[in-house]
Amino acid sequence: ICKFRDDPYHMYVSIFCFVACGLSSFVGLASHDLAFSHFWFLYESNSYANVLPSQTAAGLADAGKVSFADGTTLDMDKALGYKDVDTFCVAPIVDELGSPLVQFWAVGVNCCDARGGFECDDAWSPKARSGVVVHDDTGEYAAAIKMAQAAYSIASPEKYLLVRFVIDPETVEMNYWRVGVAFLFAGTLVSAVIFGLGALGVNLLLRGYASAFFR
């Protein structure tokens, strides 16, 4: 840029190139973190059907989508919210067999009370019997589960599975794709407006520069 400071046209082109690289990198990384990383995880991972909440979760370590067997419900009386700025909610997924260990947990953020009141995703619907696997990257859900174990005197194995409790995992997967594409489109549109206004401003500046030069 310094090289072309006496040549305004090339200087502004250089600035636009740097801004374009920055904006495109931001939009691409943000859309990946917000949506596309979740979509590709679900798309590439395995799906399991007719899963019993009492069966060992460790055997489903490669799962992305899980459909539970008939009779699967959430134990709303043992739901708990762990607050650390946001409230991290957990609720045991159970069936009539009454396993001594909670293998599967429904989770969500800011959708429950300190005790009970679990309303995350489709927990309210009697049709919900599936899960979209969630990774606990921050350890907040693990802290919530430890609190639930202590509060309700329940046990959970070391390798449990966290899921968003939903009606249709395929819809959740496609929604991630739609959000990612919408974010890219919005980022492209905003960038076009920014560069359009920038080009207009540069045109006015160059006109003034040319007028002063040839005066």
Side-chain angles (χ1 to χ4, degrees), residues 41-208:
F41 164 69
L42 295 177
Y43 182 81
E44 295 174 348
S45 59
N46 289 326
S47 299
Y48 292 89
N50 205 33
V51 174
L52 294 172
S54 55
Q55 75 182 67
T56 304
L60 281 68
D62 60 347
K65 291 169 284 188
V66 178
S67 294
F68 294 101
D70 290 339
T72 299
T73 60
L74 298 180
D75 191 344
M76 297 294 193
D77 293 333
K78 293 183 173 63
L80 181 140
Y82 166 68
K83 189 171 182 60
D84 183 12
V85 182
D86 291 316
T87 300
F88 294 84
C89 307
V90 297
I93 299 175
V94 298
D95 57 14
E96 312 86 44
L97 298 179
S99 172
L101 294 176
V102 179
Q103 300 282 346
F104 301 90
W105 293 85
V107 300
V109 180
N110 298 327
C111 48
C112 68
D113 301 324
R115 296 290 187 276
F118 190 88
E119 298 178 349
C120 305
D121 292 300
D122 298 330
W124 55 271
S125 174
K127 296 180 180 179
R129 199 164 42 81
S130 298
V132 172
V133 173
V134 173
H135 292 136
D136 188 16
D137 296 325
T138 62
E140 305 285 9
Y141 289 127
I145 288 172
K146 287 181 180 178
M147 287 182 62
Q149 290 177 288
Y152 301 121
S153 299
I154 55 179
S156 190
E158 182 179 347
K159 294 184 178 180
Y160 46 75
L161 202 65
L162 308 177
V163 300
R164 292 175 55 192
F165 203 65
V166 298
I167 297 173
D168 184 9
E170 301 295 335
T171 299
V172 175
E173 179 182 329
M174 288 310 302
N175 282 343
Y176 278 129
W177 176 262
R178 294 186 184 103
V179 169
V181 171
F183 193 90
L184 286 178
F185 179 79
T188 301
L189 185 61
V190 170
S191 297
V193 171
I194 291 174
F195 284 114
L197 293 174
L200 179 62
V202 168
N203 183 54
L204 294 175
L205 285 174
L206 290 179
R207 283 186 179 181

Side-chain angles (χ1 to χ4, degrees), residues 1-15 18:
I1 294 175
C2 294
K3 179 180 178 181
F4 298 125
R5 61 187 175 185
D6 294 327
D7 185 350
Y9 175 79
H10 288 92
M11 183 182 71
Y12 290 125
V13 169
S14 300
I15 292 173
F18 279 113

